[in-house]
Amino acid sequence: MSVSNVTDIAEVKARNQALIEEVLEVYPVKTAKKRAKHLSVHEEGNSDCGVKSNIKSVPGVMTIRGCAYAGSKGVVWGPIKDMIHISHGPVGCGQYSWAARRNYYIGTTGIDTFVTMQFTSDFQEKDIVFGGDKKLAQVIDEIQTLFPLNKGISVQSECPIGLIGDDIEAVSKAKSKEYDGKTIVPVRCEGFRGVSQSLGHHIANDAIRDWVFDKMGDKPAPFEPTPYDVAIIGDYNIGGDAWSSRILLEEMGLRVVAQWSGDGTIAELEATPRAKLNVLHCYRSMNYISRHMEEKYGIPWVEYNFFGPSKIAESLRRIASFFDDKIKEGAEAVIAKYQPLMDAVIARYKPRLEGKKVMLYVGGLRPRHVIGAYEDLGMEVVGTGYEFGHNDDYQRTAQHYVKDGTLIYDDVTGYEFEKFVEKIQPDLVGSGIKEKYVFQKMGVPFRQMHSWDYSGPYHGYDGFAIFARDMDMAINAPVWKLAPPPWKKPEDDAYLLAAE
Amino acid sequence: MPQNADNVLDHFELFRGPEYQRMLAEKKQLFENPVDPAEVDRVREWAKTEEYKEKNFERSALVINPAKACQPLGAVFVAVGFERTLPFVHGSQGCVAYYRSHFSRHFKEPTSCVSSSMTEDAAVFGGLNNMVDGLANAYSMYKPKMIAVSTTCMAEVIGDDLNAFIKTAKEKESLPAEFDVPFAHTPAFVGSHITGYDNAMKGVLEHFWDGKAGTTEKLVRVPNNKINFLGGFDGYTVGNLREIKRIFGLMGVDYTILGDASDVWDTPTDGTFRMYDGGTTLEDAANAVHARATISMQQYCTEKTLPWIAGHGQEVVAFNHPIGVAGTDEFVMEVARLADVEIPDELAKERGRLVDAIADSSAHIHGKKFAVYGDPDLAYGLAAFLLELGAEPTHVLATNGSKAWAEKMQALFDSSPFGANCTAYPGKDLWHMRSLLFTEPVDFLIGNTYGKYLERDTGTPLIRIGFPIFDRHHKHRYPVWGYQGGLNVLVTILDRIFEHIDATTNVPSKTDYSYDIIR
């Protein structure tokens, strides 16, 4: 039977349940039992998505997840542009993550800005055997000689550091003292810690707390505070996302005193405890520091979603609700200002995209946050899952985003994802570089939803126009009609999956 | 508001408008605590000086922008070149995510590879359970014919024993006792990705030739007329191996390519995802022991494998990534000698066409200075070709090059009058190269995608040849080996030279007199 065009919700649920049963059959019994807990069909009204999450990946299954180092260096710390981040350990980790995440920034790279550079202690066997602390000290000295305008240094630990018993904290303290109290941050984000990138985010947040906030004491803000000061937390400025978000907050009358961490600086990190409100985009990677600032400095925080006009308007109003009428009116003015643009974007692209089905598998906030943007274009997200979500992510997803019957897959394996897509045949898959070509080979349009497929920004009103254009360009590209050779009959083999 | 539904502006143009420019300027001034622009200028100029270069070359601990990756990347490269083989990297899982992304960004293709996903408990107790479960899962899910195991640095630091672990996994029935699981220890803190290639290739061959880790009899070599071919770690493997097969076909050589990823990294978009495609058959890998000789295209990728093969009684020959006429001549003649075949006229004709093309164009290259960086063999091959073109490979740098490599480079320089002012830099990185490009400038730079930062900072036009190439598409489909490959490299160099000439002669009533229509 055709499984691709079921519309009745009971049928959808039955199909999705059957699909889950089917993929589990491939596993050894023990693994099937484990994986079963991560796959589910969403039931409307439930408070979460019915999956276990933030659990160790099963060995050998081709998880798509990364590691704590990726979460700390790659996500949280790497974009802080005026600091130098040392990939401390062997050469590989820094090499593969070198400039790969499109954290846009402005600065003179190599002189006062260092984001797209790879600094490594390049561990050799002798460093493993005798320890790397002396080398780290020397690395810091050499950085000070060659990059005198750096504003701080972070030490991003790779796997061996925690295994050979190095004391990077002691080295960092000693060097900080030697260099007049310079900010030097040791980060214990060894790749084997935790089960995914997620613990790396947490460790990186804690390092900011312990080595940036606690160190600065009661240093006064470098600017005159205003009642409208906010900080953008959890926007990595991929393709310029934080910029197309910032412009809206400023247009509504707020003043953005810090960006965490895309296009961010150590000065902005230090200024954040003076903000009146922290606005949090990527809850997963930066809720920890937001909670800390709430507890310690009494700064409230609010989650927002800047994907697609519906969620943007909702978010602008929610953010404004923390302020006076001036800001509330400002929010309304911003919404009204961009309404004609949004109407025009939707008028242009919705007819080309309406009814198209999407499957997502991403990290952070995107498995839920982008759903509204697709819906604004008349599209439907029929499956979604998190690389490294926790239960609070799945709760938010269930309560505010997914529809009844949506297929949910946590820490999906390559095999599962491929089978799900093969059977459900969405019109678009949104995931990462490792998945992109798998699905394109299958003839399924694809957009990378980590890097925006080298496009962007997607945040904010300006970003939504780009998002709509890109989804249209993926789905309606003429190439997909070319995939099956015209002389092959559909029944020949898998050429036309829809014919199943 | 610059955005427009009918003409959507993305990051290329959006932020250049006055709204964003004002916003970004204010952000900088008010909140970034920026360095005084005069001070930025001063340091930027200082970083171009001889004094800075000396300090830069004095560093011995810090590595900045290296042109090398770590061992397991090379091991994964080897594994995907065998028939239905799943690379399995024992250790932390994040590493595997990185290797897969890295290859996919270069080849624009899927790269299948699994990890044993070791975490903190494995760090304490060892990763045996991860290996046992991981092999069982990978075997049942992905139906491989072989699983090739390598290691991340985590597994190496805690000292996991692959041989023992794989044996135990088989005893625990993770997979059948006779299932092929070659392995190689590939510590990231030793050598680079080319070392990983070497270890993994030796691991696979050792498995088949030397009794599958003590589980069967060692193969007894019965020499035949075949020639084994090892390409080494090669970003052009798709185009290169197809070209090598074509050349061997023309020459009538009976050959085995050991590690052939030219299909799996170039599968069609026709509605089917092929997780495995092509590759050296396991039978051919085993039978390769009987070959008359083994050729390595890249000496520094096979420093252990090649002598080990020689130890099995074969003649072995290593090249340094031959590019151009003389390098290809040497290669073709060695193949002819080893396989005892004639070199067909067709190849002579191809050779003549490459010589013809060089004769047509060399005036634009002759005397130009180049900086080259890349893996040691590639850097050697490119430098040799440049000398052949009458160019000067002024700076040749290999982060993973050894002293022995530098000596070999020097011998190459000494062999040509165009090599008189050329220097090899082993173990140096792209920040060293940056200094060199300022203090001893050249006309063009040859390197991988990361060279674009050097191009931006120093104004030296970049010619993209190497690995990885992330920001240009499909270059890996075109060979750089053989006479045809030499032609491709020549054209790549020429295109950039002409582009540069045009771009620097296009100002009306100023430089337009050199803006020629015929060159």
Side-chain angles (χ1 to χ4, degrees), chain B residues 61-271:
Chain B
L62 172 64
V63 172
I64 310 161
N65 298 352
K68 68 170 179 180
C70 68
Q71 278 212 48
L73 187 81
V76 172
F77 183 99
V78 167
V80 299
F82 288 88
E83 176 196 12
R84 285 191 77 86
T85 295
L86 185 63
F88 182 113
V89 189
H90 182 55
S92 300
Q93 72 193 13
C95 313
V96 167
Y98 279 142
Y99 315 141
R100 295 180 66 207
S101 301
H102 206 65
F103 282 130
S104 287
R105 287 174 178 142
H106 174 80
F107 290 111
K108 316 295 178 201
E109 292 285 322
T111 302
S112 299
C113 176
V114 299
S115 160
S116 64
S117 295
M118 284 164 66
T119 54
E120 276 147 317
D121 54 343
V124 177
F125 301 110
L128 177 60
N129 290 337
N130 299 68
M131 176 73 82
V132 171
D133 292 346
L135 287 176
N137 288 325
Y139 175 75
S140 33
M141 293 173 73
Y142 296 112
K143 315 278 187 276
K145 227 173 161 173
M146 175 160 95
I147 296 176
V149 179
S150 56
T151 47
T152 78
C153 55
M154 179 205 184
E156 287 300 318
V157 171
I158 65 174
D160 278 4
D161 180 347
L162 292 182
N163 190 16
F165 282 17
I166 293 165
K167 274 199 177 118
T168 307
K170 287 185 167 181
E171 281 160 21
K172 296 198 169 193
E173 298 179 350
S174 290
L175 24 68
E178 68 283 1
F179 189 84
D180 290 308
V181 188
F183 61 89
H185 288 275
T186 49
F189 44 81
V190 175
S192 71
H193 57 289
I194 62 174
T195 322
Y197 176 98
D198 197 11
N199 284 329
M201 184 56 78
K202 181 165 167 281
V204 171
L205 299 180
E206 211 163 9
H207 170 82
F208 286 108
W209 295 5
D210 281 359
K212 304 192 173 185
T215 59
T216 59
E217 293 293 310
K218 290 187 182 188
L219 297 180
V220 178
R221 181 165 180 264
V222 186
N224 60 26
N225 281 330
K226 287 185 109 171
I227 304 292
N228 297 326
F229 180 89
L230 293 163
F233 189 103
D234 176 20
Y236 297 89
T237 192
V238 170
N240 271 345
L241 290 185
R242 288 191 183 148
E243 182 63 8
I244 291 298
K245 289 178 201 176
R246 192 184 67 85
I247 292 171
F248 283 175
L250 286 174
M251 296 177 77
V253 176
D254 198 2
Y255 65 91
T256 303
I257 290 179
L258 294 168
D260 177 0
S262 64
D263 284 333
V264 77
W265 271 327
D266 194 19
T267 64
T269 284
D270 60 2

Side-chain angles (χ1 to χ4, degrees), chain A residues 52-63:
Chain A
K52 295 270 184 214
S53 56
N54 196 29
I55 293 175
K56 271 197 285 191
S57 301
V58 186
V61 297
M62 214 174 323
T63 175

Side-chain angles (χ1 to χ4, degrees), chain B residues 369 392-395 417-423:
Chain B
K369 290 182 159 100
E392 295 177 27
T394 307
H395 314 302
F418 298 97
N421 297 309
C422 301
T423 311

